[in-house]
Amino acid sequence: MLLDLDGTLMDHDRAADAGLRAWLPSLGLEATDAEVARWIALQEPHLAAWRAGRISFAEQRRRRLRDFLGTDGSDAELDAVFAGYLAHYERGWRIYDDVADALAVIAEAGLRTAVLTNGARTQQLRKLAAIGLGHLDPVFTVDDLGVAKPHPDAFRRACSRWGLAPGEVLSVGDNHELDVLGARAAGLRAVHLDRLGGSTETARVASLTELKDHLR
Ligand SMILES: [Mg+2]
């Protein structure tokens, strides 16, 4: 089973929101919903440029920060400011309550697990270790595969490196486009983890606990 990380194993949104609200005052900004929304809106364009290989992971952080603050600074200055956010964000890293039981059920069913994430390798390995999932292996990231979800090659390459045919692998993740549609385009089976509700996907679960109904 190929598991997504952020939003699937770890509550990224909550950690990012809490981290941001704790960090903004240190910049002289109020921790308002509007500022949080502004930060989140600035995130994706720069992350997309990194995933496409156009800029480094550190550079996407600097660009996000420049846009957000409306100021410039040296790389070192911006990195130092971003480190403040990271410290708060990392303090909020928590595993979802349903992960441990789900992994036990998956293991009992004789299935293996791997992680496929659109994050950067170094940060995602730290994240997994911090939430007690440092044993999950292999972990495939954009850095390893050179391509990001939902591109089918991300799934094909992960399966190839794992030594499994796509048809043998089930993809599970919280993002329907990335984790489900991308996976199916590569020939994997896929289940949408719909933690918040509202998905119209047929193959969906509301929590990882329900995955037991999709193991075969
Ligand atoms: Mg996710």
Side-chain angles (χ1 to χ4, degrees):
M1 184 178 301
L2 204 48
L3 294 161
D4 169 53
L5 174 47
D6 290 308
T8 298
L9 302 175
M10 193 205 83
D11 194 346
H12 164 81
D13 287 349
R14 197 165 78 162
D17 185 85
L20 201 48
R21 288 175 194 275
W23 172 64
L24 286 171
S26 72
L27 301 176
L29 297 169
E30 276 189 70
T32 61
D33 290 349
E35 290 289 38
V36 170
R38 198 164 67 82
W39 173 264
I40 290 169
L42 290 171
Q43 183 167 278
E44 184 48 33
H46 299 308
L47 277 174
W50 163 67
R51 287 197 298 263
R54 293 199 295 275
I55 57 175
S56 69
F57 195 64
E59 181 60 20
Q60 65 82 19
R61 287 173 166 171
R62 293 173 197 134
R63 291 186 183 189
R64 190 194 318 180
L65 208 43
R66 282 193 189 100
D67 285 355
F68 185 70
L69 299 175
T71 59
D72 205 350
S74 69
D75 287 358
E77 286 166 345
L78 293 169
D79 291 350
V81 174
F82 203 95
Y85 164 67
L86 281 179
H88 288 293
Y89 168 53
E90 293 182 11
R91 241 169 257 150
W93 285 356
R94 301 274 187 283
I95 192 170
Y96 281 108
D97 290 343
D98 54 6
V99 175
D101 285 351
L103 290 179
V105 169
I106 293 165
E108 277 168 28
L111 299 174
R112 289 183 286 156
T113 46
V115 175
L116 174 61
T117 166
N118 271 358
R121 182 164 190 85
T122 305
Q123 184 175 47
Q124 298 303 68
L125 290 183
R126 289 190 60 232
K127 193 178 285 179
L128 285 166
I131 61 173
L133 296 178
H135 59 285
L136 286 186
D137 180 68
V139 176
F140 303 109
T141 72
V142 178
D143 295 324
D144 311 309
L145 304 174
V147 62
K149 299 183 280 189
H151 198 295
D153 280 349
F155 294 91
R156 291 192 192 108
R157 291 177 193 178
C159 290
S160 169
R161 289 185 184 206
W162 203 12
L164 294 171
E168 298 179 279
V169 180
L170 176 69
S171 168
V172 177
D174 66 298
N175 187 304
H176 190 252
E177 184 196 352
L178 270 56
D179 303 311
V180 176
L181 300 184
R184 285 184 187 146
L188 289 78
R189 291 189 297 126
V191 170
H192 185 206
L193 174 60
D194 184 29
R195 291 191 180 280
L196 302 176
S199 173
T200 54
E201 165 64 42
T202 309
R204 68 176 184 274
V205 291
S207 77
L208 291 175
T209 309
E210 295 177 16
L211 274 181
K212 61 182 185 298
D213 301 326
H214 293 266
L215 306 180
R216 61 172 168 82

